[in-house]
Amino acid sequence: MIDFSLSPSLLELKKRTASFVREHVIPEERYLNEHTGLPAEKLTALRRKAREARLYAPHVDEEWGGMGLSMREMSIVFEEAGHSLLGPLALNCSAPDEGNMHLLEMVATEEQKERYLRPLVAGDIHSCFAMTEPPPGAGTDPASLRTFATRRGSEWVINGNKWYITGAAGAAFAICMARTDDGAEQGGHQPRASMFLIDADNPGFQIVREIPSLDANFVGGHCEIALRDCVVPEEAVLGAVGEGFRYAQMRLAPARLTHCMRWLGVAQRSLDIAAQYANTRESFGQTLGKHQMVAEMLADSATEIHAARLMIWHAAWVLDTGGKAKYETSMAKTYVSEVVNRVVDRALQICGSHGVSMDLPLALFYRSVRPFRIYDGPSEIHRSVIARQVLKEAALLATGDEAAREGQAYPQETAASSVEPKLDYQGGEQ
């Protein structure tokens, strides 16, 4: 049987997170500068309060200073944190750091964890994930990767360009994806790639500029980076040489789902604002909420949020039970990103001039959520991945091989391609 109930402890955690965001985080939004972010001293204070409330780093194992929650538990906490753009920052579970922490926990050596993971979890530093490149380099097609790392004795020399790398300004280090072959493998398959930990003070790691963007409320901005004879030692390799694409998969499926969790909180708060406004604003002799077209917008938003939440919960369950959740997270990311955009848009429309003004957070939400349909793979790419699986199942059904077709159903899965597409916007946000 399917059980959607929350345990008493998880329900208490949900309420505690909601209370923390309402009482401590949202009041600090008035200090948020969309270009420079929240003043450092205020972010430090919020994180101290999050620790005191036992809400800090919910996604990280206790060994490294986190709460050690499962994906299903995280879905509850991350959504509540997402009611404010500052919430994930306060809990230190924002992109790109959250995805990088997950990858470091999974792949890094003990020495690398002590050097990079521990201070990252502590909030002493922030990081970035450098994969996306300017044309004709890698964007949605990782096989187009043009940054190369060449072995030179006990060192690696990295050369290339990276683009729209979230959090790069002021980051202590980058997880950088680079090709470590001299062409495609035999048989025309994907080239090999590796991941490298590059300290930001490396003289070969140069921030060219911070790119002006529709959304400007991320720590460290979105930057263009030049790697020019960037020399790193052998111990800078993250994991095994040649396994970069596989590690990217390990990072991306959970990361795109945690994005969905956080942004769903933005959608829910937007609906709450719109509903409160519709209950009080009068027009033509009655409150807005009693006008049929406004009521329809509210109903559509509530319905879509509910469906999006269930998709997230299911994909989280697949990950928690050992599945890769490639298709579940692709479907969730596509649907949730579009739902969030529609919900915020409707909320702004219902609130009219107040929605457009900066007196409400809806205008900032509106600018912030639009790129979600692009980063971590645009909707069009995810739809092509999903469609390939649908066609594959249809072909199996046509052969009458029901057993083989059942083997394609989730939570088990067979990859339609060896590398999932993504844009490294917001840390690969992200």
Side-chain angles (χ1 to χ4, degrees):
M1 298 294 292
I2 299 173
D3 184 1
F4 291 104
S5 64
L6 303 184
S7 67
S9 60
L10 187 54
L11 184 59
E12 186 274 335
L13 181 58
K14 171 182 168 65
K15 292 179 178 178
R16 184 151 44 90
T17 308
S19 176
F20 177 80
V21 172
R22 183 175 59 252
E23 295 174 13
H24 298 288
V25 178
I26 290 177
E28 297 299 306
E29 289 178 343
R30 64 185 183 275
Y31 301 110
L32 175 63
N33 182 295
E34 61 180 299
H35 298 291
T36 59
L38 192 68
E41 66 275 10
K42 290 193 172 293
L43 178 56
T44 299
L46 276 179
R47 287 181 170 175
R48 183 182 66 252
K49 292 176 181 178
R51 286 189 180 93
E52 293 170 354
R54 294 175 290 115
L55 294 171
Y56 189 77
H59 56 295
V60 180
D61 284 347
E62 295 181 20
E63 175 186 0
W64 302 103
M67 298 172 64
L69 300 186
S70 68
M71 289 297 293
R72 282 170 288 184
E73 293 166 333
M74 285 164 53
S75 68
I76 303 299
V77 175
F78 277 42
E79 181 183 338
E80 292 297 335
H83 278 65
S84 170
L85 295 176
L86 296 178
L89 282 170
L91 272 58
N92 200 11
C93 62
S94 61
D97 288 338
E98 177 258 321
N100 287 348
M101 291 179 205
H102 172 73
L103 186 60
L104 288 167
E105 274 196 284
M106 297 288 290
V107 177
T109 64
E110 291 304 310
E111 291 76 14
Q112 289 171 335
K113 289 177 182 178
E114 289 293 342
R115 181 172 177 178
Y116 296 103
L117 177 59
R118 193 174 293 282
L120 189 59
V121 175
D124 297 333
I125 60 173
H126 75 266
S127 63
C128 62
F129 186 77
M131 177 173 167
T132 298
E133 301 169 337
T140 55
D141 179 10
S144 301
L145 196 66
R146 287 178 174 248
T147 298
F148 270 90
T150 305
R151 194 190 294 271
R152 188 180 66 187
S154 61
E155 300 175 326
W156 290 87
V157 183
I158 307 171
N159 282 283
N161 299 288
K162 297 296 181 180
W163 159 266
Y164 222 78
I165 306 306
T166 299
F173 70 95
I175 298 177
C176 179
M177 179 88 88
R179 288 178 63 164
T180 45
D181 66 326
D182 55 1
E185 294 179 328
Q186 291 184 356
H189 297 302
Q190 299 283 358
R192 297 181 67 196
S194 302
M195 288 186 177
F196 296 87
L197 292 161
I198 303 177
D199 294 335
D201 60 1
N202 188 310
F205 183 88
Q206 306 162 17
I207 294 181
V208 178
R209 64 177 178 131
E210 190 170 334
I211 302 166
S213 175
L214 177 68
D215 62 332
N217 52 299
F218 289 92
V219 175
H222 311 299
C223 297
E224 184 175 355
I225 294 172
L227 296 156
R228 298 292 182 267
D229 292 329
C230 183
V231 180
V232 297
E234 184 69 35
E235 54 266 28
V237 176
L238 181 59
V241 174
E243 296 293 327
F245 288 130
R246 184 168 69 86
Y247 297 152
Q249 296 284 59
M250 292 168 58
R251 183 187 189 277
L252 288 172
R256 73 168 59 100
L257 193 60
T258 53
H259 272 308
C260 292
M261 298 170 188
R262 289 185 291 258
W263 287 118
L264 191 62
V266 168
Q268 183 63 63
R269 184 173 173 205
S270 299
L271 175 58
D272 292 343
I273 291 170
Q276 290 166 7
Y277 189 79
N279 263 336
T280 56
R281 175 63 163 160
E282 291 191 1
S283 177
F284 300 101
Q286 59 184 349
T287 58
L288 282 180
K290 292 182 179 178
H291 289 282
Q292 224 170 358
M293 284 190 287
V294 173
E296 181 182 19
M297 286 192 283
L298 293 170
D300 285 348
S301 291
T303 302
E304 289 183 332
I305 287 173
H306 180 63
R309 184 176 292 120
L310 293 179
M311 289 187 75
I312 291 170
W313 286 5
H314 176 257
W317 171 78
V318 174
L319 287 168
D320 279 343
T321 54
K324 295 180 181 178
K326 175 178 180 178
Y327 301 106
E328 292 83 358
T329 56
S330 279
M331 287 187 282
K333 197 276 176 180
T334 302
Y335 183 74
V336 174
S337 66
E338 295 177 1
V339 161
V340 170
N341 273 264
R342 289 195 293 267
V343 170
V344 175
D345 182 80
R346 291 186 193 116
L348 193 150
Q349 186 74 12
I350 290 169
C351 293
S353 58
H354 288 281
V356 174
S357 78
M358 296 303 290
D359 290 347
L360 295 176
L362 296 175
L364 182 57
F365 289 171
Y366 189 81
R367 293 201 303 275
S368 299
V369 301
R370 178 56 183 87
F372 185 29
R373 287 165 50 196
I374 297 174
Y375 60 69
D376 277 352
S379 299
E380 293 75 14
I381 295 295
H382 283 294
R383 282 189 167 94
S384 71
V385 172
I386 297 163
R388 282 200 297 269
Q389 180 68 4
V390 172
L391 293 170
K392 192 172 186 177
E393 291 184 10
L396 290 170
L397 184 62
T399 66
D401 190 350
E402 288 289 341
R405 182 176 183 270
E406 285 297 316
Q408 301 300 308
Y410 33 74
Q412 300 301 319
E413 52 192 49
T414 55
S417 61
S418 60
V419 180
E420 260 187 272
K422 73 178 267 292
L423 276 181
D424 188 21
Y425 175 84
Q426 299 184 335
E429 226 140 70
Q430 247 153 285

